[in-house]
Amino acid sequence: PAGLDTAAARTHAVEHWVQRELRVQEARATGLDDDPAIQRRLAESERATLEAAALDAYFAQTPAEPSDEEVGAYYEENREALALREPYVRLRHLRVAARQRAIEARGALERAIASEFPDSLFALVAREYGAAPDGAVAFASEYVSEGRMRSLDAELGDRIAALPAGAQVAAVTVGSVFHIVQVVDRVPEGTVPPLTLVRDELAERLAVRMRRDAEARLLQQLRSEAQARGRLDLNL
């Protein structure tokens, strides 16, 4: 975990394992593993683990990943349903703790976006001035809803919603934190987003559908094979 050094993490993990093993041994020493109710739970746990392992092995051999063509076709078929229900924005955003550093960061960001390579230079500015540079760079590559921004910080979200898209760099103070913000782009409510914006989400939807269909085919195959071997009796 963040903020926990390696030695402390190792000690914590070992202590957790020791405590768990002591409790398990105590349960066995007192005969709980012979309790019929416990045995049923252990058997069900084993069956669930084996079931999950069988599915994992099947999908490892038969990956359920949609192709670019399949994602594109799904996008075209569902364009109207994909219309945005609220505005989305793409931001370059830095959190800076000190006022003087915020002034310097604003100037550096203005120079970066006026250059030929704004994204690359923004990464350098983020590493120089930002409180969380890697997060700032990753955040700047995505579109986020204005509602999500408000959920993270209501005042900052409202201020961002009032900013125009373009080259303007704003300095927004919220509490004791200085936010240096540029709205790179804004996509209004009701817009059908470009495929590049929603591709990952659509690919995941299709992957879930493909896994569900593949699992149904696998179960039908296993059912047929079990019936053929006389190992499946559905008579109750």
Side-chain angles (χ1 to χ4, degrees), residues 132-205:
D134 292 337
V137 172
F139 190 73
S141 67
E142 302 177 350
Y143 282 78
V144 296
S145 70
E146 290 188 353
R148 179 186 170 192
M149 291 302 304
R150 289 190 178 93
S151 70
L152 296 174
D153 188 309
E155 183 176 349
L156 178 62
D158 288 340
R159 300 282 290 276
I160 287 174
L163 293 174
Q168 175 181 330
V169 178
V172 178
T173 304
V174 179
S176 61
V177 179
F178 300 92
H179 299 267
I180 308 303
V181 182
Q182 178 215 1
V183 178
V184 182
D185 188 24
R186 175 174 278 110
V187 184
E189 178 184 355
T191 302
V192 176
L195 177 57
T196 53
L197 178 59
V198 293
R199 189 200 180 287
D200 291 345
E201 179 185 346
L202 298 186
E204 180 59 27
R205 287 189 198 177

